[in-house]
Amino acid sequence: VKLLENNIHYKENNFEAYIAEQKYYANRLMEIQNDSIFDSQYKDYVNKCKKIDSYQLEEKYSFKNILLTGASGYLGIHLLYEILHMSTANIYLFVRRRNSDSPAVRISKLFEKIYGNGSFSAYKNRIYIIEADLEYNYLGLSKKTYYAIQSKIDCIFHAAANVSHFGTYNDFRLPNIIGTKNLIDFALSDQKPL
């Protein structure tokens, strides 16, 4: 504690300087918000958002069986939740086996951790969890299972990826490039919208 005390130096008027800095940034923000160029760009942005909000995807597309990859990740689990709420479609999840928990246990635990106890069971009759791996031929499935699922799916949401900020090309090649290529092949061979 004595060493720490020796390294702490008192700055006179430090709080006043902090307040002055905050006032400067607040005034600068007000200037930007009152800028006519900013104002018109902001209004354009808001109008575009309103237009997107008015889209009725259910009216345009009535998907019955949706494939979602990456459901064990942050984006994927949120996509799963939104798809369940915005549609009546069945959701097929391709999930890799990790550790000792089965893909079904991992997804249900994650879903309930984020959306509350019992939330997964409310939708389990529409969720089909399939152990698969996009890095392999036939997505790690038997040919029979691959073609059976392929014939049912009418839409694909691909959210599976290695999103690490560090790594070599080889760390990303299989999950991000080969996995995506294999999923595109899955979709193209039966004309699925991606």
Side-chain angles (χ1 to χ4, degrees):
V1 173
K2 186 69 175 163
L3 288 173
L4 182 62
E5 179 185 346
N6 291 336
N7 288 317
I8 297 174
H9 304 288
Y10 175 75
K11 286 186 180 179
E12 195 168 318
N13 300 323
N14 192 38
F15 184 70
E16 290 83 5
Y18 174 78
I19 295 298
E21 182 182 37
Q22 297 308 309
K23 284 181 181 178
Y24 168 79
Y25 287 120
N27 288 331
R28 185 70 185 114
L29 181 60
M30 293 303 290
E31 289 172 15
I32 291 170
Q33 288 177 342
N34 292 328
D35 186 329
S36 62
I37 293 171
F38 174 82
D39 193 41
S40 68
Q41 290 174 345
Y42 178 74
K43 285 179 182 173
D44 288 345
Y45 172 76
V46 168
N47 288 333
K48 287 177 184 176
C49 290
K50 286 179 183 175
K51 188 176 180 181
I52 290 170
D53 286 342
S54 68
Y55 290 155
Q56 296 298 320
L57 295 179
E58 280 292 322
E59 292 174 13
K60 244 183 182 181
Y61 305 103
S62 57
F63 299 122
K64 291 181 177 48
N65 296 292
I66 297 172
L67 171 62
L68 172 62
T69 66
S72 62
Y74 179 82
L75 174 62
I77 201 72
H78 286 84
L79 283 172
L80 174 60
Y81 180 82
E82 291 300 322
I83 294 168
L84 287 167
H85 279 83
M86 296 176 71
S87 77
T88 58
N90 293 316
I91 318 294
Y92 290 77
L93 307 177
F94 281 175
V95 183
R96 282 194 285 190
R97 176 173 282 283
R98 292 232 194 253
N99 304 323
S100 60
D101 282 344
S102 72
V105 169
R106 283 179 38 228
I107 295 296
S108 64
K109 280 182 180 178
L110 180 60
F111 197 90
E112 295 204 345
K113 178 181 177 183
I114 294 172
Y115 300 109
N117 288 337
S119 58
F120 185 79
S121 60
Y123 298 104
K124 68 181 179 184
N125 62 328
R126 293 177 44 210
I127 301 172
Y128 299 88
I129 302 171
I130 297 131
E131 186 175 325
D133 193 327
L134 305 182
E135 297 175 10
Y136 293 99
N137 289 335
Y138 298 102
L139 308 175
L141 305 168
S142 70
K143 285 184 183 181
K144 181 180 177 181
T145 303
Y146 178 92
Y147 291 120
I149 294 169
Q150 185 184 53
S151 68
K152 290 179 186 176
I153 300 301
D154 49 18
C155 178
I156 299 171
F157 286 87
H158 180 39
N162 178 348
V163 294
S164 174
H165 294 282
F166 301 101
T168 65
Y169 172 77
N170 289 332
D171 295 329
F172 300 98
R173 182 177 177 277
L174 282 174
N176 297 357
I177 297 171
I178 301 302
T180 301
K181 179 201 169 297
N182 289 342
L183 193 62
I184 290 170
D185 291 342
F186 175 85
L188 291 178
S189 60
D190 207 35
Q191 304 300 309
K192 309 289 183 213
L194 273 171

